[in-house]
Amino acid sequence: MKIVRKFAIGLIIIFLLMIWSGIVRHVTLGQRTFGSLTEPVKKFSELPSDMKAAYNFIFLAPDYYLKTKDADKETINKLSYDLYGSYAYRNGDAFKIELKNFKNDELIKTWDLPVEYLSKHHEVGTNDRLYPSKLMENRGVIVSCDERPGLIRLDSASNVVWHNKDFIFHHAVNFDAKGNAWICGAKHKNGSVAPSTVSVDGKKINYRDDLIVNVDAKTGKTLYSKSLTELFKENNLSELINRASVVEDPFHLNDVEPVVLQDSTYFNTGDVFMSFRHLSAIIQYRPSTEKVIKVIEGPFTYQHDVDILSPNTIALFNNNGLVKDNSNYENYDTYPKTNVQREIINSNILVYNFEEDTYNALYEKAFIDNKIYTGAEGLYDLLPNGDLFVEEQNSGILWVLNENGVVLKTTLKSDIEGYHYLPNWTSIYTNINF
């Protein structure tokens, strides 16, 4: 009888766990709510991850520190010219912004954004970070509180000049011909993304609808914003959304690059190029007419950081990552298996020529030889002398490359032995008026 009783209790426990798992799944995916119990269920289900995060923060280096591998401890520096970088990093509750000359490692200027200020406007998470940082006139700087309702301009003394909280801001900041900032955004409610809803196979799923946003750099006022869902629908591109690798985040906009050159055969001043990670696509858009001019898909995946190089060329950071989805392949377990090794060795920088409709990789050998790869984020800057600055974000390594190989390899040294700081979208300058 004891065995039967134990067996029965075990079945009941399994049954209850199945019910609980189903409830948690529906709540976290936004497919079903359970009235006043919805939020408590969600919070309770997050306890294990919250406890793990607390443990890591107390006993291990937080996520904004990266373990320095033995191969990356030695710096390579063959720079014969001044190369300045502004970047942000986090040290505990201190949010720091610095301007450095990488040629001689000289620290030129620092700014501070106190956590006490940020916490007045939103909850500051243990791994929140600022990025990117862009230099402004009079020794000022603009930063965004990534995935938080904050685009902030500081003066030379780190005083807040303005703080735009209209949207949750994320990823790159770029300036147009008028000096105003274009940035990726999302609508929010009380500091969290306010999702839209889509029906998939008869089930309602919350998804993130990103925005493109234009902000007056002098006043911080929002000048223009556009929902990507609306933009795609108005331009008959809804089918492109269905190709997204992540249903809940179909766009994953990571760059809005305005055209500041004179008008050319292929684009006009005022056009913007948008990079969509989960679509593996670049889209040229004309805000003045609200028309999509061109959709660019090519030999790249999960790309970031599109830049205009000339009147007929653009370039992009091709992460070259393996696109993954959320499908369940457990039923395939009954089939015979063939082991195939699919190794991704390197990311690269691709130049697209509009006139010839061709792609060319910059300094590909240096990327391959040094196995430069980042699955997420990543950026580059083509310098006036032809050298190429690269931020290998996931490993936290900063490079300068050319046809001869590595000119610079360095990290942002931290206050914890054996670790370096996570770089946060370093902005590069060859001349500064400081």
Side-chain angles (χ1 to χ4, degrees), residues 241-256:
I241 306 177
N242 294 334
R243 303 182 198 172
S245 58
V246 180
V247 174
E248 296 86 356
D249 184 15
F251 303 107
H252 200 98
L253 179 68
N254 58 47
D255 196 15
V256 186

Side-chain angles (χ1 to χ4, degrees), residues 250-370:
F251 303 107
H252 200 98
L253 179 68
N254 58 47
D255 196 15
V256 186
E257 179 72 30
V259 175
V260 295
L261 303 169
Q262 294 181 347
D263 293 355
S264 76
T265 303
Y266 302 100
F267 34 79
N268 295 341
T269 300
D271 288 1
V272 294
F273 284 87
M274 301 176 290
S275 172
F276 298 94
R277 181 180 191 266
H278 290 164
L279 298 176
S280 292
I282 303 291
I283 288 182
Q284 178 186 355
Y285 178 67
R286 189 160 293 162
S288 61
T289 61
E290 299 198 323
K291 296 296 184 184
V292 168
I293 307 303
K294 188 176 181 65
V295 177
I296 302 171
E297 298 174 286
F300 53 84
T301 55
Y302 278 12
Q303 79 297 322
H304 288 72
D305 194 16
V306 55
D307 289 338
I308 297 97
L309 299 186
S310 75
N312 69 336
T313 58
I314 62 172
L316 56 94
F317 187 102
N318 173 27
N319 292 80
N320 199 27
L322 183 64
V323 175
K324 298 176 286 186
D325 63 26
N326 299 322
S327 302
N328 187 341
Y329 298 105
E330 290 181 358
N331 292 333
Y332 289 4
D333 287 347
T334 58
Y335 289 81
K337 294 179 176 61
T338 301
N339 292 322
V340 178
Q341 298 298 321
R342 301 177 65 188
E343 182 181 7
I344 298 172
I345 297 175
N346 66 284
S347 303
N348 59 18
I349 308 302
L350 292 178
V351 177
Y352 173 67
N353 188 303
F354 281 77
E355 186 174 4
E356 300 173 359
D357 192 27
T358 57
Y359 292 88
N360 177 52
L362 288 176
Y363 308 136
E364 180 80 344
K365 185 177 185 301
F367 278 82
I368 295 172
D369 289 347
N370 294 282

